[in-house]
């Protein structure tokens, strides 16, 4: 079921690592340093809002 307008897609740490072409361990390390988007904890899992990830990436885009 696709996300509706009132919800945002959540991605796992593994999916974020794939997106950034890195390892899950690197995501955990970046999170520890505060160098990645905030996560949502659901039980023992960390999930990332896709909107937050995209906004975080956009804020780090180099100027032309």
């Amino acid at each position: 079921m696709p996300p509706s307008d009132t919800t945002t897609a959540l991605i796992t740490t593994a999916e974020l690592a794939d997106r950034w072409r890195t390892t899950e361990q690197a995501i955990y390390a970046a999170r520890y340093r505060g160098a990645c988007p905030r996560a949502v904890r659901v039980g023992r899992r960390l999930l990332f809002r896709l909107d937050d990830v995209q906004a975080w990436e956009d804020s780090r885009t180099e100027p032309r």
Side-chain angles (χ1 to χ4, degrees):
M1 177 170 152
S4 69
D5 291 339
T6 59
T7 62
T8 183
L10 296 171
I11 61 173
T12 65
T13 305
E15 291 169 329
L16 183 58
D18 286 343
R19 179 183 180 96
W20 288 353
R21 297 184 184 105
T22 190
T23 65
E24 286 184 68
Q25 192 60 34
I27 299 297
Y28 292 125
R31 185 174 184 277
Y32 178 78
R33 293 189 316 271
C36 73
R38 293 183 342 181
V40 176
R41 185 167 293 282
V42 179
R44 295 179 64 185
R45 296 178 70 192
L46 288 177
L47 301 173
F48 296 86
R49 289 184 183 99
L50 188 54
D51 292 345
D52 290 347
V53 170
Q54 290 170 332
W56 190 88
E57 292 168 347
D58 290 345
S59 72
R60 281 148 182 79
T61 302
E62 293 183 350
R64 292 181 181 234

